[in-house]
Amino acid sequence: MILGLVAGICTTAAVIPQLWKAWKTKKVTDVSPGMFFVLITGLALWTVYGLLQSDWPIIITNGLALCLNSLMLYFLFKYD
Amino acid sequence: MILGLVAGICTTAAVIPQLWKAWKTKKVTDVSPGMFFVLITGLALWTVYGLLQSDWPIIITNGLALCLNSLMLYFLFKYD
């Protein structure tokens, strides 16, 4: 159970170093917008899946990851 | 069930456009290695979690994502 929690925190928080780097350097040339489009689609579907199953760990981790990765997609358009 | 499958395919395959871009341009300056370190840690823990629970969908999606993201981390060091 702790293992799943730590795993969920890692996969949810992974985008934070990328957000920080983009915000600090204002450069995103080498980052693929396609990656974030596909990822956001997947995270949105996971969130809907969680809602349909009333599975709160799935809703919370994927919903938060959805917000963070959407911010990264915004940075990709802002700094390009 | 189909929803979870499509969601899993998206979150697993998301790194492919980034792999393609890095391989084509040979440039990874703006990509954060920290993102892939944290992500790989999380995916490895998810895979172990799946193994402990004998949950094959978790093992397969996270195991495959682990391989693809490890390849991206290799590109980050190779092209930097």
Side-chain angles (χ1 to χ4, degrees):
Chain A
M1 228 24 215
I2 286 285
L3 191 65
L5 186 70
V6 178
I9 290 169
C10 286
T11 49
T12 303
V15 73
I16 294 174
Q18 180 65 75
L19 280 169
W20 177 253
K21 184 165 195 170
W23 185 74
K24 211 174 49 172
T25 64
K26 317 286 183 218
K27 286 190 178 173
V28 292
T29 315
D30 307 329
V31 183
S32 164
M35 173 170 175
F36 288 92
F37 270 122
V38 178
L39 193 56
I40 285 166
T41 305
L43 292 168
L45 293 176
W46 274 130
T47 307
V48 174
Y49 178 88
L51 287 167
L52 291 175
Q53 309 263 336
S54 301
D55 187 327
W56 290 100
I58 288 189
I59 297 167
I60 292 164
T61 53
N62 288 284
L64 188 58
L66 183 61
C67 295
L68 292 170
N69 284 283
S70 298
L71 181 61
M72 186 57 212
L73 192 64
Y74 167 71
F75 279 2
L76 279 169
F77 286 99
K78 190 181 174 192
Y79 297 139
D80 198 30
Chain B
M1 229 23 216
I2 287 285
L3 190 66
L5 186 70
V6 178
I9 290 170
C10 286
T11 48
T12 304
V15 74
I16 294 175
Q18 179 64 77
L19 279 168
W20 177 253
K21 185 166 194 171
W23 184 76
K24 212 174 47 172
T25 63
K26 317 286 182 215
K27 287 190 179 175
V28 292
T29 315
D30 307 329
V31 183
S32 164
M35 172 168 176
F36 288 91
F37 270 122
V38 178
L39 193 56
I40 285 165
T41 304
L43 292 168
L45 293 176
W46 273 129
T47 308
V48 174
Y49 179 87
L51 287 167
L52 291 175
Q53 309 262 337
S54 301
D55 186 328
W56 289 100
I58 287 189
I59 297 167
I60 291 165
T61 52
N62 288 283
L64 189 58
L66 183 59
C67 295
L68 292 171
N69 283 282
S70 299
L71 182 61
M72 186 58 212
L73 192 63
Y74 167 71
F75 279 3
L76 279 170
F77 285 98
K78 190 181 174 192
Y79 298 139
D80 198 30

